[in-house]
Amino acid sequence: MSNIKTQLWQSPKFAIERIEDEERGVLIFRFTGAFAANEMYSVLKPLAVVNIFEFEPAPGKERPTLNIFDITDVPTLDSSGLGLVISHFIRSRARGVRVIAVGASANVQQLFKFTRVDALIPTAATVAEAIAAPISRT
């Protein structure tokens, strides 16, 4: 079975692509470029920005149990982007869906530590590592 790719956002500065891996029950949100969510607010309505990561499976399909934010190609992340990531993490956790951030650059890791997001959202070096990560009961 192949993965289904959907472009969620495209601008000259950054892009967001959703990759559905139904076989493993995983959604991967792949970011490329400097993630400046404030740019999204100038184009989309606020509710559309907040809900950009929302996903409803097709009828008869199960909701993915793992969402991965692949930020390998993100050199920087603005505060609005960080807020979107945290908001999605909280909503996903309430639904029993795990969220893991992968491939954080040194700049993004520093932001995660400074804001204590590193204590909230689990991280992994790669997508494969995130998929293989054991389920935490915390």
Side-chain angles (χ1 to χ4, degrees):
M1 177 175 247
S2 65
N3 294 335
I4 301 168
K5 297 181 179 183
T6 305
Q7 193 74 36
L8 300 178
W9 176 263
Q10 179 71 50
S11 76
K13 293 180 182 179
F14 75 98
I16 306 170
E17 177 184 50
R18 181 182 65 221
I19 303 165
E20 301 169 43
D21 183 342
E22 290 180 338
E23 187 174 318
R24 294 189 277 188
V26 176
L27 281 182
I28 301 168
F29 296 95
R30 180 171 294 144
F31 298 75
T32 54
F35 183 26
N38 61 354
E39 175 185 323
M40 297 168 72
Y41 284 103
S42 68
V43 176
L44 301 173
K45 293 182 179 181
L47 187 59
V49 175
V50 170
N51 290 327
I52 198 158
F53 303 120
E54 289 301 305
F55 176 79
E56 286 299 323
K61 301 284 185 176
E62 291 187 28
R63 179 179 297 280
T65 58
L66 174 62
N67 286 355
I68 296 173
F69 282 111
D70 182 355
I71 53 176
T72 304
D73 296 323
V74 176
T76 59
L77 175 69
D78 73 0
S79 60
S80 296
L82 182 63
L84 285 177
V85 169
I86 293 168
S87 176
H88 182 71
F89 170 80
I90 292 168
R91 288 194 312 235
S92 294
R93 185 173 61 181
R95 295 179 181 140
V97 176
R98 294 185 304 143
V99 175
I100 300 176
V102 304
S105 69
N107 284 338
V108 175
Q109 285 178 8
Q110 185 177 15
L111 176 64
F112 279 16
K113 286 182 195 302
F114 180 73
T115 58
R116 299 185 185 223
V117 169
D118 62 333
L120 179 67
I121 300 176
T123 59
T126 66
V127 170
E129 184 181 304
I131 291 170
I135 298 172
S136 172
R137 301 289 182 208
T138 58

